[in-house]
Amino acid sequence: MLSHVASKTMMAGMLSPLFVIWFLAGLGGAVGEIGDGTTEPGTVNVGALFTFNSTIGRAAMVGIELAIEDVNADSTILAGTRLNVIAQDTNCSGFVGTIEALQLMEKKVVAVVGPQSSGIGHVISHVVTELHVPLLSFAATDPTLSPLEHPYFIRTTHSDHFQMNAIADLVEHFGWREVTAIFVDDDYGRGGVIALGDALAEKRSRISYKAGFPPNAGPTAISDLLVRVNLMESRVFVVHVNPDTGMNVFSLAKNMGMMATGYVWIATDWLASTLDSVVQPDPSAMSLLQGAIVLRHHTPDSAPKRRFTARWNAMLRAGNASSGLNSYGLYAYDSLWAVARAIDRFLSAGNTINFSADPRLHEANGSTLHLSTLRIFDGGESLLRQLLLTNFTGLTGQIEFDSERNLIGPSYDILNIGGGPRLIGYWSNYSGLSVTAPEILHRQPPNGSTTRQQQLFGVVWPGETTAQPRGWVFPNDGKPLRIGVPNRASFREFVTNNSNSDDLGGFCIDVFNAAIKLLPYPVPCSFVLIGDGSKNPNYDEIVNMVARNELDAAVGDIAIVRNRIKIVDFTQPYTESGLVIVTRVRGSSSSAWAFLRPFTLEMWCATGAFFLLVGAAVWILEHRENPEFRGTPKQQIATMFWFSFSTMFFVHRENTVSTLGRFLLIVWLFVVLIINSSYTASLTSILTVQQLSSGITGLDSLLSTSDPIGYQEGKFARNYMIEELNIPESRLKPLNSPEEYAKALELGPKAGGVAAIVDEIPFVEILLSAYCQFRIVGPAFTKNGWGFAFQRDSPLAVDLSTAILTLSENGDLQRIHDKWLSRSECSSQDTDIEASRLSLSSFWGLFLLCGIVCLLALVGYIIKTCCQYSKFSSTEADKSEENVEVSTNQKDPKFGKLKSFKNLMHFVDTKEEEIDEIEEKQKELGDHTL
């Protein structure tokens, strides 16, 4: 019948848990005698499943014994009911552990505390799920033991998921990027390493090598493993093994010299459990661990915990305990209390403990399998709900489960091993790394000052040094770094080779060698030339070779551009770069009338009109008072024109004597000064542009044409112009050397050449140092730099960046630049000058100011003149009425008819001094008449 069922199961394509139970139950009958399943009245059976003779098991045994004693002595818990614990020894075997679990199921246990092994936990979880018996594990920390897959599995300790996040925070805190994971290759080890890899990935770090060994590996296998990891680059080792075999790793590492300066050892909580379990610490064991960082489950200090510790120590002194107290002993104690409280609530709710047969399990004809002894706990689902509602303060802190069935408040002590364990800080899921206990931080409000402090006390590292290890070395396999170098066909100032890869020079190579010498450690390098030297290699392909691990790094004139930083890491740029446009400069013949170009026609007309206007205004203002502005009409016209245009050069000889005339002249001379300065600057610019004029003035004009464009073969300019600028590939012409650049530009687009060259600034500077007839037009339209390319997460990229900054600060980088890239004077001329003619819009404000001043001066003059004319007109009229007998020949002929327009004009043309004389005569005549 067994074979028939097995055959049907195989045909179904899966092995059901029922079949596993059936098969193993039969084996259980062969291993031990099956009990009768009877239970004493007033007693509830609870199973305990762990390895008795193990580091965790010895502590768990004492913890469970004390818990049973305390529970049965507490009248407030399970009143009238006695808790009976049936313990089974898994003997460090997954097979035996499964058999022992089945034997527990025969004894009608309502819950099982354990197991301590994650591997056994995976198998037993299927059994308890089928029989509805809750399983509370105080030591199975494998994160893959999920309640989604195993609904009756409850973890009463913290998952390794949190412990690995603590290690990832440590790695980030010390600035390391890679670690080597040393682990036992079982469910526990693999699950922890997977969680570690996920946690490191969130911090942009990674596991560089996973070194797993079998659960029962001997010293030889572990030694071989350590030899391999010692050849790797990383010197940060995370050890995630079992407590009973873990010390062998450190003992063998010590013998191999791997506990010396430069190494970093981080151990998960297994090592703290081992150290805490030792009653009398062994100094020789401590010396093996010197400098290691160890994580331990954090359990807050409390009065119950201190009393419990005192009881444990008393048992040790009395010989009733063989192990010191470790955190798993505390978790075992709290687990049994959680079961007791849940059963108490279960019974208080009126539930009864009943078991029923599973109809799918029945006796087969001729079979010795006692399948009927495996019964389903009818109240299992209710008890599971009560367990998940657990909420009390135990020895390990608050015992409460979150929505994912994890204990709340995961936290760890961080220890540094010296003469003994020394506390250097804490980690919790709430506050990260800190030097303050998590329970204190948790009571404070969540803000930036109390959470995620990321602080630790000082660490004494292996080798008894306080200097933080770098965390990596070059692989100790005798292989130098493979450094790819482009074998250039031109521009050898940047990379030059003298017949072989061992004799390289140039600006880029010298910068790299100078930076390497600044590193505090030797870096063996082997240069690999890429390309045949007849034409430039493709630089994108060189970077791809680094990404594909065909090269360790690439050194040369490699631009840091977007598509490359996605696949490799670059150092700090050691020189600035960017794409610019170079074109030929054709000198244009200067026009005979070029001197008229600074101003537009409107500007010339306005300027000339204002010269005449101001000249006429000054003549009007000065005519009556200034003899230099009088004379015959011809002389006055000549004076007016001469004065107007001579002010352009500030050479006017006529003095101004009137107040209004002087005020107007000051304003006009200021306007003339501005116009002269602007004219001079504009003319200079126009004549310069005539010498540097070309058809292409920048990127926009280049894109608007259909002329061929040259670029350097192998460089990123081609892809940039096609992908970013949408320039048709048919317009692009690959070139290799400065000579080809010059020839193509001289020929021009009509003769088979190019209209312009698009290349990076360092190459263009070398071109212009030899060919002064070419110029850069427009600004650089990309901003980037050159750097050395390394594989992703290579620590050399960071260290070389620091070295490049040092070269820049001490001046060595500039000296290397001057050695290889000195430029002639013509290459530094500015070619991006664009002259513009000055229009009236640039000066209308000045002209408006001058016009207003001129108008005000003339208005003032007119008002003054009209007042004088009115005064003399009234005086002369009074005189005519009183002296009508005086003949007309006695009157001044100029004022005979003052009221006529002609006489007004005569009055205006009269000198000011003559008017003053007439006023004196009229005053004397008036006095004589009186």
Side-chain angles (χ1 to χ4, degrees), residues 55-316:
T55 300
I56 295 177
R58 286 188 290 270
M61 178 67 76
V62 178
I64 292 173
E65 289 177 356
L66 292 176
I68 290 297
E69 179 182 335
D70 292 345
V71 167
N72 289 329
D74 191 340
S75 59
T76 62
I77 298 293
L78 295 173
T81 303
R82 180 175 174 274
L83 198 64
N84 180 45
V85 176
I86 304 173
Q88 297 287 110
D89 187 2
T90 60
N91 201 26
C92 289
S93 170
F95 178 78
V96 174
T98 305
I99 301 303
E100 297 294 338
L102 291 172
Q103 289 181 344
L104 281 177
M105 297 301 106
E106 294 174 341
K107 297 175 183 178
K108 296 184 178 180
V109 294
V110 297
V112 176
V113 175
Q116 70 186 61
S117 167
S118 297
I120 298 175
H122 278 280
V123 178
I124 296 177
S125 293
H126 291 289
V127 176
V128 297
T129 299
E130 290 293 333
L131 300 180
H132 296 181
V133 177
L135 178 68
L136 289 80
S137 177
F138 57 86
T141 56
D142 177 13
T144 62
L145 274 169
S146 168
L148 296 177
E149 181 183 4
H150 310 296
Y152 279 81
F153 173 82
I154 302 175
R155 197 192 324 267
T156 53
T157 186
H158 296 296
S159 165
D160 282 338
H161 166 79
F162 302 106
Q163 182 171 208
M164 296 310 171
N165 275 274
I167 293 177
D169 278 354
L170 280 171
V171 171
E172 182 187 40
H173 176 75
F174 292 111
W176 301 314
R177 301 293 296 276
E178 295 183 353
V179 304
T180 296
I182 301 174
F183 63 99
V184 58
D185 195 5
D186 59 8
D187 291 324
Y188 159 75
R190 287 190 298 269
V193 169
I194 291 172
L196 175 62
D198 295 340
L200 289 173
E202 294 180 1
K203 307 294 183 181
R204 299 193 63 187
S205 302
R206 67 187 183 97
I207 300 176
S208 60
Y209 183 68
K210 296 179 180 180
F213 58 85
N216 298 318
T220 302
I222 297 176
S223 295
D224 293 342
L225 181 75
L226 293 176
V227 169
R228 290 199 303 273
V229 301
N230 201 34
L231 295 176
M232 302 298 172
E233 183 178 90
S234 174
R235 282 294 180 266
V236 181
F237 302 125
V238 177
V239 184
H240 186 57
V241 296
N242 292 319
D244 299 294
T245 59
M247 290 299 294
N248 292 335
V249 175
F250 284 95
S251 177
L252 294 170
K254 179 74 171 180
N255 294 335
M256 298 172 60
M258 295 175 65
M259 297 298 295
T261 303
Y263 288 86
V264 178
W265 291 86
I266 302 175
T268 53
D269 65 281
W270 67 267
L271 182 53
S273 299
T274 302
L275 297 177
D276 292 340
S277 299
V278 177
V279 179
Q280 294 295 332
D282 185 1
S284 61
M286 290 295 102
S287 66
L288 295 177
L289 304 172
Q290 190 278 317
I293 295 178
V294 183
L295 270 68
R296 176 176 63 193
H297 289 284
H298 174 71
T299 54
D301 187 30
S302 63
K305 179 182 174 183
R306 290 192 294 270
R307 290 194 297 268
F308 183 82
T309 303
R311 290 173 62 192
W312 193 294
N313 293 334
M315 293 179 66
L316 284 174

Side-chain angles (χ1 to χ4, degrees), residues 584 586 708 733 743-755:
R584 180 184 176 186
R586 293 181 173 86
K733 185 174 182 178
K743 182 179 179 181
L745 287 172
E746 289 290 349
L747 289 174
K750 295 182 180 179
V754 296

Side-chain angles (χ1 to χ4, degrees), residues 788-806:
F788 305 131
F790 288 86
Q791 293 181 7
R792 274 291 194 186
D793 300 323
S794 172
L796 257 181
V798 178
D799 288 358
L800 271 182
S801 293
T802 304
I804 290 171
L805 290 175
T806 303

Side-chain angles (χ1 to χ4, degrees), residues 580-586 692-698 702 745-746 749 754-758 764 767-768 771-778 831:
V580 293
I581 301 171
V582 180
T583 186
R584 180 184 176 186
V585 177
R586 293 181 173 86
L692 303 178
S693 62
S694 61
I696 297 175
T697 59
L702 179 68
L745 287 172
E746 289 290 349
V754 296
I757 298 289
V758 175
V764 170
L767 172 68
L768 299 184
Y771 300 93
C772 296
Q773 69 270 33
F774 307 128
R775 292 289 182 271
I776 299 173
V777 293
T831 63

Side-chain angles (χ1 to χ4, degrees), residues 597-611:
R597 294 190 61 192
F599 291 160
T600 61
L601 178 61
E602 294 82 0
M603 181 64 183
W604 279 118
C605 292
T607 304
F610 264 84
F611 271 108

Side-chain angles (χ1 to χ4, degrees), residues 318-340:
N320 296 326
S322 60
S323 170
L325 176 60
N326 60 41
S327 60
Y328 290 106
L330 297 175
Y331 281 117
Y333 179 90
D334 284 347
S335 298
L336 202 61
W337 265 100
V339 172

